[in-house]
Coordinates of all heavy atoms in Angstrom, one line a residue:
M843 N 51.4 -30.2 -4.0 CA 50.5 -31.1 -3.3 C 50.2 -32.3 -4.2 O 50.0 -32.2 -5.4 CB 49.1 -30.3 -3.0 CG 48.1 -31.2 -2.5 SD 46.4 -30.3 -2.3 CE 46.8 -29.1 -1.2
N844 N 50.3 -33.4 -3.6 CA 50.0 -34.6 -4.2 C 48.7 -35.2 -3.7 O 48.4 -35.2 -2.5 CB 51.1 -35.6 -4.0 CG 52.3 -35.3 -4.8 OD1 52.3 -34.8 -5.9 ND2 53.5 -35.4 -4.1
V845 N 47.9 -35.8 -4.5 CA 46.6 -36.4 -4.1 C 46.5 -37.7 -4.6 O 46.8 -38.1 -5.8 CB 45.4 -35.6 -4.6 CG1 44.1 -36.2 -4.2 CG2 45.5 -34.1 -4.2
S846 N 46.2 -38.7 -3.7 CA 46.1 -40.1 -4.1 C 44.6 -40.4 -4.3 O 43.8 -40.0 -3.5 CB 46.6 -41.0 -2.9 OG 48.0 -40.8 -2.8
L847 N 44.3 -41.0 -5.4 CA 43.0 -41.4 -5.7 C 42.9 -42.9 -5.9 O 43.8 -43.5 -6.5 CB 42.5 -40.7 -7.0 CG 42.5 -39.2 -7.1 CD1 42.2 -38.7 -8.5 CD2 41.5 -38.6 -6.1
P848 N 41.7 -43.5 -5.6 CA 41.5 -44.9 -5.9 C 41.4 -45.0 -7.4 O 41.1 -44.1 -8.1 CB 40.2 -45.3 -5.2 CG 39.7 -44.0 -4.6 CD 40.6 -42.9 -4.7
D849 N 41.5 -46.2 -7.9 CA 41.6 -46.4 -9.3 C 40.4 -45.9 -10.1 O 40.4 -45.3 -11.2 CB 41.8 -47.9 -9.7 CG 43.2 -48.4 -9.4 OD1 44.1 -47.5 -9.3 OD2 43.3 -49.6 -9.2
A850 N 39.2 -46.1 -9.4 CA 37.9 -45.7 -10.1 C 37.9 -44.2 -10.3 O 37.5 -43.6 -11.3 CB 36.7 -46.1 -9.3
L851 N 38.4 -43.4 -9.3 CA 38.3 -41.9 -9.4 C 39.5 -41.5 -10.3 O 39.3 -40.6 -11.1 CB 38.6 -41.3 -8.0 CG 37.3 -41.3 -7.1 CD1 37.7 -40.7 -5.7 CD2 36.1 -40.8 -7.7
K852 N 40.6 -42.2 -10.3 CA 41.7 -41.8 -11.2 C 41.2 -42.0 -12.7 O 41.4 -41.1 -13.6 CB 42.9 -42.7 -11.0 CG 44.1 -42.3 -11.8 CD 45.3 -43.2 -11.5 CE 46.4 -42.8 -12.5 NZ 47.4 -43.8 -12.7
E853 N 40.5 -43.1 -12.9 CA 39.9 -43.3 -14.3 C 39.0 -42.3 -14.7 O 38.9 -41.7 -15.9 CB 39.3 -44.7 -14.4 CG 40.3 -45.8 -14.3 CD 39.7 -47.2 -14.2 OE1 38.5 -47.3 -14.3 OE2 40.5 -48.2 -13.9
F854 N 38.1 -41.8 -13.8 CA 37.1 -40.8 -14.0 C 37.9 -39.5 -14.4 O 37.5 -38.8 -15.4 CB 36.2 -40.6 -12.8 CG 35.3 -39.5 -13.0 CD1 34.2 -39.5 -13.7 CD2 35.5 -38.2 -12.3 CE1 33.3 -38.4 -13.9 CE2 34.7 -37.1 -12.5 CZ 33.6 -37.3 -13.3
V855 N 38.8 -39.1 -13.6 CA 39.5 -37.9 -13.9 C 40.2 -37.9 -15.3 O 40.1 -37.0 -16.0 CB 40.6 -37.6 -12.8 CG1 41.5 -36.5 -13.1 CG2 39.9 -37.3 -11.4
E856 N 40.9 -39.0 -15.5 CA 41.5 -39.2 -16.9 C 40.5 -39.1 -17.9 O 40.8 -38.5 -19.0 CB 42.3 -40.5 -16.9 CG 43.5 -40.5 -16.0 CD 44.2 -41.9 -15.9 OE1 43.6 -42.9 -16.3 OE2 45.3 -41.9 -15.2
A857 N 39.3 -39.7 -17.8 CA 38.3 -39.6 -18.8 C 37.8 -38.2 -19.0 O 37.6 -37.6 -20.1 CB 37.1 -40.5 -18.4
Q858 N 37.7 -37.4 -17.9 CA 37.3 -36.0 -18.0 C 38.4 -35.2 -18.7 O 38.0 -34.3 -19.4 CB 37.0 -35.4 -16.5 CG 35.8 -36.1 -15.9 CD 34.6 -35.9 -16.6 OE1 34.1 -34.9 -17.0 NE2 34.0 -37.1 -17.0
V859 N 39.6 -35.4 -18.4 CA 40.7 -34.7 -19.0 C 40.6 -34.9 -20.5 O 40.6 -33.9 -21.3 CB 42.0 -35.2 -18.5 CG1 43.2 -34.6 -19.3 CG2 42.2 -34.7 -17.1
D860 N 40.4 -36.1 -20.9 CA 40.3 -36.4 -22.4 C 39.0 -35.9 -23.0 O 39.1 -35.2 -24.1 CB 40.3 -37.9 -22.6 CG 41.6 -38.6 -22.3 OD1 42.7 -37.9 -22.3 OD2 41.6 -39.8 -22.1
E861 N 37.9 -36.0 -22.4 CA 36.6 -35.6 -22.9 C 36.4 -34.1 -23.0 O 35.8 -33.5 -23.8 CB 35.5 -36.2 -22.1 CG 35.2 -37.7 -22.3 CD 34.2 -38.3 -21.3 OE1 33.4 -37.5 -20.8 OE2 34.3 -39.5 -21.1
R862 N 37.0 -33.4 -22.0 CA 36.9 -31.9 -21.9 C 38.1 -31.1 -22.4 O 38.1 -30.0 -22.2 CB 36.5 -31.6 -20.4 CG 35.2 -32.2 -20.0 CD 34.9 -31.8 -18.6 NE 33.7 -32.4 -18.2 CZ 33.0 -32.0 -17.1 NH1 33.4 -31.0 -16.4 NH2 31.9 -32.6 -16.8
D863 N 39.0 -31.8 -22.9 CA 40.2 -31.2 -23.5 C 41.0 -30.4 -22.5 O 41.6 -29.4 -22.8 CB 39.8 -30.3 -24.7 CG 39.3 -31.0 -25.9 OD1 39.8 -32.1 -26.1 OD2 38.3 -30.5 -26.5
Y864 N 41.2 -30.9 -21.3 CA 42.1 -30.4 -20.4 C 43.5 -30.9 -20.7 O 43.6 -32.0 -21.2 CB 41.8 -30.8 -18.9 CG 40.6 -30.2 -18.3 CD1 39.3 -30.8 -18.3 CD2 40.6 -28.9 -17.8 CE1 38.2 -30.2 -17.8 CE2 39.5 -28.3 -17.3 CZ 38.3 -29.0 -17.2 OH 37.2 -28.4 -16.7
G865 N 44.5 -30.1 -20.5 CA 45.9 -30.6 -20.8 C 46.4 -31.6 -19.8 O 47.1 -32.6 -20.2
T866 N 46.0 -31.5 -18.6 CA 46.5 -32.4 -17.6 C 45.3 -32.6 -16.5 O 44.4 -31.9 -16.4 CB 47.7 -31.8 -16.8 OG1 47.3 -30.7 -16.1 CG2 48.8 -31.5 -17.7
S867 N 45.6 -33.6 -15.7 CA 44.6 -33.9 -14.6 C 44.6 -32.7 -13.6 O 43.7 -32.4 -13.0 CB 44.9 -35.2 -13.9 OG 46.2 -35.2 -13.4
S868 N 45.8 -32.1 -13.5 CA 45.9 -30.9 -12.5 C 45.0 -29.8 -13.0 O 44.4 -29.1 -12.2 CB 47.4 -30.5 -12.5 OG 48.2 -31.4 -11.8
E869 N 44.9 -29.5 -14.3 CA 44.1 -28.5 -14.9 C 42.6 -28.8 -14.5 O 41.9 -27.9 -14.0 CB 44.2 -28.4 -16.3 CG 45.4 -27.7 -16.8 CD 45.5 -27.6 -18.3 OE1 44.5 -27.7 -19.0 OE2 46.6 -27.5 -18.8
F870 N 42.2 -30.0 -14.6 CA 40.9 -30.5 -14.3 C 40.6 -30.2 -12.8 O 39.6 -29.6 -12.4 CB 40.6 -31.9 -14.6 CG 39.3 -32.4 -14.2 CD1 38.1 -32.1 -14.8 CD2 39.2 -33.4 -13.2 CE1 36.9 -32.5 -14.4 CE2 38.0 -34.0 -12.8 CZ 36.8 -33.5 -13.5
V871 N 41.5 -30.6 -11.9 CA 41.3 -30.5 -10.5 C 41.3 -29.0 -10.1 O 40.4 -28.6 -9.3 CB 42.4 -31.3 -9.7 CG1 42.3 -30.9 -8.2 CG2 42.2 -32.8 -9.9
R872 N 42.2 -28.2 -10.7 CA 42.1 -26.8 -10.4 C 40.8 -26.1 -10.8 O 40.2 -25.3 -10.1 CB 43.3 -26.0 -11.2 CG 44.6 -26.2 -10.5 CD 45.6 -25.3 -11.1 NE 46.0 -25.6 -12.4 CZ 46.9 -26.4 -12.9 NH1 47.6 -27.0 -12.0 NH2 47.1 -26.6 -14.2
E873 N 40.2 -26.6 -11.9 CA 38.9 -26.1 -12.4 C 37.9 -26.5 -11.3 O 37.0 -25.6 -11.0 CB 38.6 -26.6 -13.8 CG 37.2 -26.2 -14.2 CD 37.1 -24.6 -14.4 OE1 38.1 -24.0 -14.6 OE2 35.9 -24.2 -14.4
L874 N 37.9 -27.7 -10.8 CA 36.9 -28.1 -9.8 C 37.0 -27.2 -8.5 O 36.0 -26.8 -7.9 CB 37.1 -29.5 -9.5 CG 36.8 -30.6 -10.6 CD1 37.1 -32.0 -10.0 CD2 35.3 -30.5 -10.9
I875 N 38.2 -27.0 -8.1 CA 38.4 -26.1 -7.0 C 38.0 -24.7 -7.2 O 37.3 -24.1 -6.3 CB 39.9 -26.1 -6.6 CG1 40.3 -27.5 -6.1 CG2 40.2 -25.1 -5.5 CD1 41.9 -27.7 -6.0
R876 N 38.2 -24.1 -8.4 CA 37.7 -22.8 -8.7 C 36.2 -22.8 -8.6 O 35.5 -21.8 -8.1 CB 38.2 -22.3 -10.0 CG 39.6 -21.9 -10.1 CD 40.0 -21.3 -11.5 NE 41.4 -21.4 -11.6 CZ 41.9 -22.3 -12.4 NH1 41.3 -23.3 -13.0 NH2 43.3 -22.4 -12.5
R877 N 35.5 -23.8 -9.2 CA 34.1 -23.8 -9.2 C 33.6 -23.9 -7.7 O 32.5 -23.3 -7.4 CB 33.6 -25.0 -9.9 CG 33.7 -24.9 -11.5 CD 33.2 -26.1 -12.2 NE 33.4 -26.0 -13.6 CZ 33.0 -26.8 -14.5 NH1 32.3 -28.0 -14.1 NH2 33.2 -26.7 -15.7
E878 N 34.2 -24.7 -6.9 CA 33.8 -24.8 -5.5 C 34.0 -23.5 -4.8 O 33.1 -23.1 -4.0 CB 34.6 -25.9 -4.8 CG 34.2 -26.2 -3.4 CD 32.7 -26.5 -3.2 OE1 32.1 -27.0 -4.2 OE2 32.2 -26.4 -2.1
Q879 N 35.1 -22.8 -5.1 CA 35.3 -21.4 -4.5 C 34.1 -20.5 -4.9 O 33.6 -19.8 -4.0 CB 36.6 -20.9 -4.9 CG 37.8 -21.4 -4.2 CD 39.1 -20.8 -4.8 OE1 39.2 -20.5 -5.9 NE2 40.0 -20.5 -3.9
A880 N 33.8 -20.5 -6.2 CA 32.7 -19.6 -6.7 C 31.4 -20.0 -6.0 O 30.6 -19.1 -5.6 CB 32.6 -19.7 -8.1
R881 N 31.1 -21.3 -5.9 CA 29.9 -21.8 -5.3 C 29.8 -21.3 -3.8 O 28.8 -20.9 -3.3 CB 29.8 -23.3 -5.4 CG 28.4 -23.9 -5.0 CD 28.4 -25.4 -4.9 NE 29.2 -25.8 -3.8 CZ 28.7 -25.8 -2.4 NH1 27.6 -25.4 -2.2 NH2 29.5 -26.3 -1.5
T882 N 30.9 -21.5 -3.1 CA 31.0 -21.1 -1.7 C 30.8 -19.6 -1.5 O 30.1 -19.1 -0.7 CB 32.4 -21.5 -1.1 OG1 32.5 -23.0 -1.2 CG2 32.5 -21.1 0.4
Q883 N 31.4 -18.8 -2.4 CA 31.2 -17.3 -2.4 C 29.7 -17.0 -2.7 O 29.2 -16.1 -2.0 CB 32.1 -16.6 -3.4 CG 33.6 -16.7 -2.9 CD 34.5 -16.3 -4.0 OE1 34.1 -16.1 -5.2 NE2 35.8 -16.1 -3.7
L884 N 29.1 -17.6 -3.7 CA 27.8 -17.3 -3.9 C 26.8 -17.6 -2.8 O 25.9 -16.9 -2.4 CB 27.4 -18.1 -5.3 CG 25.9 -17.9 -5.7 CD1 25.6 -16.5 -5.9 CD2 25.6 -18.8 -6.9
R885 N 27.2 -18.9 -2.2 CA 26.3 -19.3 -1.1 C 26.4 -18.2 0.1 O 25.4 -17.8 0.7 CB 26.8 -20.6 -0.5 CG 26.0 -21.1 0.6 CD 26.5 -22.5 1.1 NE 25.9 -22.8 2.4 CZ 24.8 -23.5 2.5 NH1 24.1 -23.8 1.5 NH2 24.3 -23.8 3.7
A886 N 27.6 -17.7 0.3 CA 27.8 -16.6 1.4 C 27.0 -15.4 1.0 O 26.4 -14.8 1.9 CB 29.3 -16.3 1.6
L887 N 27.0 -15.0 -0.3 CA 26.3 -13.8 -0.6 C 24.7 -14.0 -0.5 O 24.0 -13.1 0.0 CB 26.5 -13.4 -2.1 CG 28.0 -12.9 -2.4 CD1 28.2 -12.9 -3.9 CD2 28.1 -11.6 -1.7
V888 N 24.3 -15.2 -0.8 CA 22.9 -15.5 -0.6 C 22.5 -15.5 0.9 O 21.4 -14.9 1.3 CB 22.5 -16.9 -1.3 CG1 21.1 -17.3 -0.8 CG2 22.6 -16.8 -2.8
V889 N 23.3 -16.1 1.7 CA 23.0 -16.1 3.1 C 23.1 -14.7 3.6 O 22.2 -14.2 4.4 CB 24.0 -17.0 3.9 CG1 24.0 -16.8 5.4 CG2 23.8 -18.4 3.5
D890 N 24.0 -13.8 3.2 CA 24.0 -12.5 3.7 C 22.8 -11.7 3.2 O 22.2 -11.0 4.0 CB 25.3 -11.7 3.1 CG 26.5 -12.1 3.8 OD1 26.5 -12.8 4.8 OD2 27.7 -11.7 3.2
G891 N 22.4 -12.0 2.0 CA 21.2 -11.2 1.5 C 19.9 -11.7 2.2 O 19.1 -10.8 2.5
M892 N 19.9 -12.9 2.6 CA 18.7 -13.4 3.3 C 18.6 -12.8 4.7 O 17.5 -12.6 5.2 CB 18.7 -15.0 3.4 CG 18.4 -15.7 2.0 SD 18.7 -17.4 2.1 CE 17.3 -17.9 3.1
G893 N 19.7 -12.5 5.3 CA 19.8 -11.9 6.6 C 19.7 -10.4 6.6 O 19.7 -9.8 7.7
S894 N 19.6 -9.8 5.5 CA 19.7 -8.4 5.4 C 18.3 -7.7 5.6 O 18.2 -6.5 5.5 CB 20.2 -7.9 4.0 OG 19.5 -8.2 3.0
G895 N 17.4 -8.5 5.8 CA 16.0 -7.9 6.0 C 15.0 -8.3 4.8 O 15.4 -9.0 3.9
P896 N 13.8 -7.8 4.9 CA 12.8 -8.2 4.0 C 13.2 -7.6 2.6 O 13.8 -6.5 2.4 CB 11.5 -7.5 4.4 CG 11.9 -6.5 5.4 CD 13.3 -6.9 5.9
G897 N 12.9 -8.4 1.6 CA 13.2 -7.9 0.2 C 12.1 -7.1 -0.4 O 11.0 -6.9 0.2
S898 N 12.3 -6.7 -1.6 CA 11.2 -6.0 -2.3 C 10.5 -6.9 -3.2 O 10.9 -7.9 -3.6 CB 11.8 -4.8 -3.1 OG 12.8 -5.4 -4.1
E899 N 9.2 -6.5 -3.5 CA 8.4 -7.3 -4.4 C 9.0 -7.2 -5.8 O 9.4 -6.2 -6.3 CB 7.0 -6.8 -4.4 CG 6.1 -7.5 -5.4 CD 4.7 -7.8 -4.8 OE1 4.5 -7.4 -3.6 OE2 3.9 -8.3 -5.6
M900 N 9.1 -8.5 -6.4 CA 9.6 -8.5 -7.8 C 8.5 -8.8 -8.8 O 8.4 -9.9 -9.3 CB 10.7 -9.6 -7.8 CG 12.0 -9.2 -6.9 SD 13.1 -10.5 -6.8 CE 13.9 -10.3 -8.4
D901 N 7.8 -7.7 -9.1 CA 6.7 -7.9 -10.1 C 7.2 -7.3 -11.4 O 8.4 -6.9 -11.6 CB 5.5 -7.1 -9.5 CG 5.8 -5.7 -9.3 OD1 6.8 -5.2 -9.5 OD2 4.8 -5.0 -8.7
E902 N 6.3 -7.2 -12.4 CA 6.7 -6.7 -13.7 C 7.2 -5.3 -13.7 O 8.2 -5.0 -14.4 CB 5.5 -6.8 -14.7 CG 5.8 -6.4 -16.1 CD 6.9 -7.2 -16.7 OE1 7.0 -8.4 -16.5 OE2 7.7 -6.7 -17.5
A903 N 6.7 -4.5 -12.8 CA 7.1 -3.1 -12.7 C 8.6 -3.1 -12.2 O 9.5 -2.3 -12.7 CB 6.3 -2.3 -11.8
H904 N 9.0 -4.0 -11.3 CA 10.4 -4.0 -10.8 C 11.2 -4.4 -12.0 O 12.4 -3.8 -12.1 CB 10.4 -5.1 -9.7 CG 11.8 -5.4 -9.2 ND1 12.4 -4.6 -8.3 CD2 12.6 -6.4 -9.6 CE1 13.7 -5.1 -8.1 NE2 13.8 -6.2 -8.8
F905 N 11.0 -5.4 -12.8 CA 11.9 -5.8 -13.8 C 11.9 -4.8 -14.9 O 13.0 -4.5 -15.5 CB 11.4 -7.2 -14.4 CG 11.7 -8.3 -13.4 CD1 10.7 -8.9 -12.8 CD2 13.0 -8.7 -13.2 CE1 10.9 -10.0 -11.9 CE2 13.2 -9.8 -12.4 CZ 12.2 -10.4 -11.7
E906 N 10.8 -4.0 -15.1 CA 10.8 -3.0 -16.1 C 11.8 -1.9 -15.7 O 12.6 -1.3 -16.5 CB 9.5 -2.4 -16.4 CG 9.4 -1.4 -17.6 CD 10.1 -1.9 -18.8 OE1 9.9 -3.1 -19.2 OE2 10.8 -1.1 -19.5
Q907 N 11.8 -1.5 -14.4 CA 12.8 -0.5 -13.8 C 14.2 -1.0 -14.0 O 15.1 -0.2 -14.4 CB 12.5 -0.3 -12.4 CG 11.2 0.5 -12.1 CD 10.9 0.6 -10.6 OE1 11.4 -0.1 -9.8 NE2 10.0 1.6 -10.2
M908 N 14.4 -2.3 -13.8 CA 15.7 -2.8 -14.0 C 16.2 -2.7 -15.5 O 17.3 -2.3 -15.8 CB 15.9 -4.3 -13.5 CG 15.8 -4.5 -12.1 SD 15.7 -6.2 -11.6 CE 17.3 -6.8 -12.2
R909 N 15.3 -3.0 -16.3 CA 15.6 -2.9 -17.8 C 15.8 -1.5 -18.2 O 16.8 -1.2 -18.9 CB 14.4 -3.4 -18.6 CG 14.2 -4.9 -18.6 CD 13.1 -5.4 -19.5 NE 12.6 -6.7 -19.2 CZ 11.5 -6.9 -18.5 NH1 10.7 -5.9 -18.0 NH2 11.2 -8.1 -18.1
E910 N 15.1 -0.6 -17.6 CA 15.3 0.9 -18.0 C 16.7 1.3 -17.4 O 17.4 2.1 -18.1 CB 14.2 1.7 -17.3 CG 14.3 3.2 -17.7 CD 14.2 3.5 -19.2 OE1 13.6 2.6 -19.9 OE2 14.6 4.5 -19.6
R911 N 17.1 0.9 -16.2 CA 18.4 1.3 -15.7 C 19.5 0.7 -16.6 O 20.5 1.4 -16.9 CB 18.6 0.8 -14.3 CG 18.0 1.7 -13.2 CD 18.3 1.2 -11.9 NE 17.4 0.2 -11.6 CZ 17.5 -0.6 -10.4 NH1 18.4 -0.3 -9.5 NH2 16.6 -1.5 -10.2
I912 N 19.4 -0.5 -17.1 CA 20.3 -1.1 -18.0 C 20.4 -0.3 -19.3 O 21.5 0.0 -19.8 CB 20.0 -2.6 -18.2 CG1 20.2 -3.4 -16.9 CG2 20.8 -3.2 -19.4 CD1 19.7 -4.8 -16.9
R913 N 19.2 0.0 -19.8 CA 19.2 0.8 -21.1 C 19.9 2.2 -20.9 O 20.7 2.6 -21.7 CB 17.8 1.0 -21.6 CG 17.2 -0.1 -22.2 CD 15.9 0.2 -22.9 NE 14.8 0.4 -22.0 CZ 13.9 -0.6 -21.6 NH1 14.1 -1.8 -22.0 NH2 13.0 -0.2 -20.7
L914 N 19.7 2.8 -19.8 CA 20.3 4.1 -19.5 C 21.8 4.0 -19.3 O 22.6 5.0 -19.7 CB 19.6 4.8 -18.4 CG 18.1 5.3 -18.6 CD1 17.5 5.7 -17.3 CD2 18.0 6.3 -19.8
S915 N 22.2 3.0 -18.7 CA 23.6 2.8 -18.3 C 24.5 2.5 -19.7 O 25.6 2.8 -19.6 CB 23.8 1.7 -17.4 OG 23.6 0.4 -17.9
G916 N 23.9 2.0 -20.6 CA 24.5 1.8 -21.9 C 24.7 3.0 -22.8 O 25.4 3.0 -23.7
S917 N 24.0 4.1 -22.4 CA 24.1 5.3 -23.2 C 25.3 6.1 -22.9 O 25.8 6.2 -21.9 CB 22.9 6.2 -23.0 OG 21.7 5.4 -23.1

């Protein structure tokens, strides 16, 4: 796949490659695509969660139960 960019965007990509130590502009673009995929997946999970019904109260007791489960799972 080839992508044509206006000069201003090309300069931006080249600067990002240099500043962030990417080997090529393709590596930078692939990383952007991966991030967008992850963002899209996260958004879908949030939307699914919102549609799954009422949530539980997240008070201090809730977080303490979560901490305890984590402590027990490490044993």
Side-chain angles (χ1 to χ4, degrees):
M843 174 184 295
N844 292 318
V845 178
S846 298
L847 298 174
D849 289 340
L851 288 179
K852 184 178 179 205
E853 290 170 11
F854 174 78
V855 169
E856 290 170 350
Q858 295 304 299
V859 169
D860 291 340
E861 290 172 19
R862 298 182 181 196
D863 294 324
Y864 288 99
T866 65
S867 58
S868 291
E869 287 180 19
F870 175 68
V871 171
R872 282 191 294 269
E873 178 65 22
L874 291 177
I875 293 168
R876 284 187 205 99
R877 287 182 186 182
E878 182 61 17
Q879 282 179 322
R881 191 190 69 78
T882 300
Q883 291 169 350
L884 178 59
R885 180 181 171 88
L887 290 171
V888 168
V889 169
D890 286 349
M892 290 173 65
S894 69
S898 58
E899 180 140 351
M900 297 177 73
D901 57 7
E902 183 57 34
H904 173 82
F905 288 107
E906 187 53 42
Q907 288 175 342
M908 288 176 64
R909 288 184 200 99
E910 185 62 23
R911 277 187 281 177
I912 292 168
R913 281 191 287 269
L914 292 174
S915 68
S917 310

